[in-house]
Amino acid sequence: MTKKLNIHTRQLLDEVIEANLNYLVRFATLRIGCKADAEDVVHEAVRRILETDISKIKQDSIRMYLFRVVYNLCKDFYIGERSLRPLTETDDEIPDSSREEELDIEEIERLNTLLGTLPEREAEVVRMNVMDELSFVEISQILSTPASTVKSRFKSGMDKLRKQYIKNK
């Protein structure tokens, strides 16, 4: 059953969605590998949020709540045995984020290969910080994990990547 949101809450939610839509699609595309599927995931996230009573969520947390829903749907997409297509097999461009320069497909493939050597928890934190440009506080909100744990996973992952880089040098 869909609850009606009050006008102020709906306007705030619309503003957050509009301001972050391209970023959310990029976020999902980096995890799924296909822009069209990522757009579907983001659409589903928006639909779910519009059906949720968000009045109990702090206004400054709505953005991270939206990212958490997209993140969880990306995980569900992967677990749901849908065929994942690597970025190299798609003609889709990754939507631009807030920064001017865009990561190219080859660079993303190299980063994902490196991150594939890490435990998933560490790889996801490094990916969110480096590729998605999210702060540790934002990552902790998305993953529902303490910020100190997020920082620890990031440091551990980066240390392992450094050792791997030096070893392969």
Side-chain angles (χ1 to χ4, degrees):
M1 183 172 173
T2 304
K3 280 193 165 190
K4 285 205 171 201
L5 301 174
N6 68 42
I7 293 172
H8 175 70
T9 304
R10 178 59 191 249
Q11 287 174 337
L12 178 64
L13 187 56
D14 288 347
E15 289 171 11
V16 170
I17 291 168
E18 186 174 329
N20 292 284
L21 194 59
N22 287 337
Y23 197 65
L24 288 164
V25 171
R26 181 179 187 277
F27 181 84
T29 301
L30 289 171
R31 281 151 187 80
I32 294 174
C34 175
K35 183 179 174 190
D37 289 337
E39 288 171 343
D40 290 344
V41 165
V42 171
H43 181 270
E44 177 63 15
V46 169
R47 187 191 65 74
R48 287 184 184 190
I49 286 178
L50 290 173
E51 292 179 350
T52 303
D53 180 13
I54 62 163
S55 62
K56 295 175 184 157
I57 300 172
K58 294 183 213 170
Q59 288 185 0
D60 58 344
S61 298
I62 292 174
R63 178 176 183 261
M64 288 303 102
Y65 181 74
L66 184 58
F67 272 89
R68 186 176 325 132
V69 172
V70 170
Y71 174 74
N72 288 334
L73 287 172
C74 287
K75 286 177 26 179
D76 291 347
F77 181 92
Y78 180 74
I79 292 169
E81 297 181 25
R82 303 231 357 222
S83 62
L84 296 181
R85 292 170 289 216
L87 289 170
T88 54
E89 291 182 17
T90 180
D91 294 331
D92 297 333
E93 289 183 21
I94 295 173
D96 193 11
S97 70
S98 59
R99 64 182 176 177
E100 302 255 338
E101 74 275 0
E102 191 172 319
L103 294 171
D104 67 8
I105 301 294
E106 289 177 15
E107 183 178 354
I108 291 169
E109 186 178 299
R110 280 194 302 268
L111 288 171
N112 282 331
T113 300
L114 284 172
L115 292 174
T117 64
L118 298 178
E120 183 55 33
R121 289 178 170 192
E122 292 174 2
E124 191 58 36
V125 169
V126 172
R127 185 178 292 114
M128 286 180 168
N129 183 263
V130 174
M131 295 171 78
D132 298 322
E133 301 174 332
L134 296 170
S135 70
F136 293 127
V137 172
E138 292 171 325
I139 296 168
S140 72
Q141 290 174 345
I142 293 169
L143 299 178
S144 299
T145 305
S148 58
T149 302
V150 169
K151 290 176 186 176
S152 175
R153 288 177 184 170
F154 179 80
K155 183 181 178 336
S156 176
M158 292 302 289
D159 288 345
K160 290 174 184 172
L161 289 175
R162 276 188 206 97
K163 286 178 186 175
Q164 184 180 20
Y165 175 76
I166 291 170
K167 180 181 165 185
N168 294 332
K169 203 171 175 184

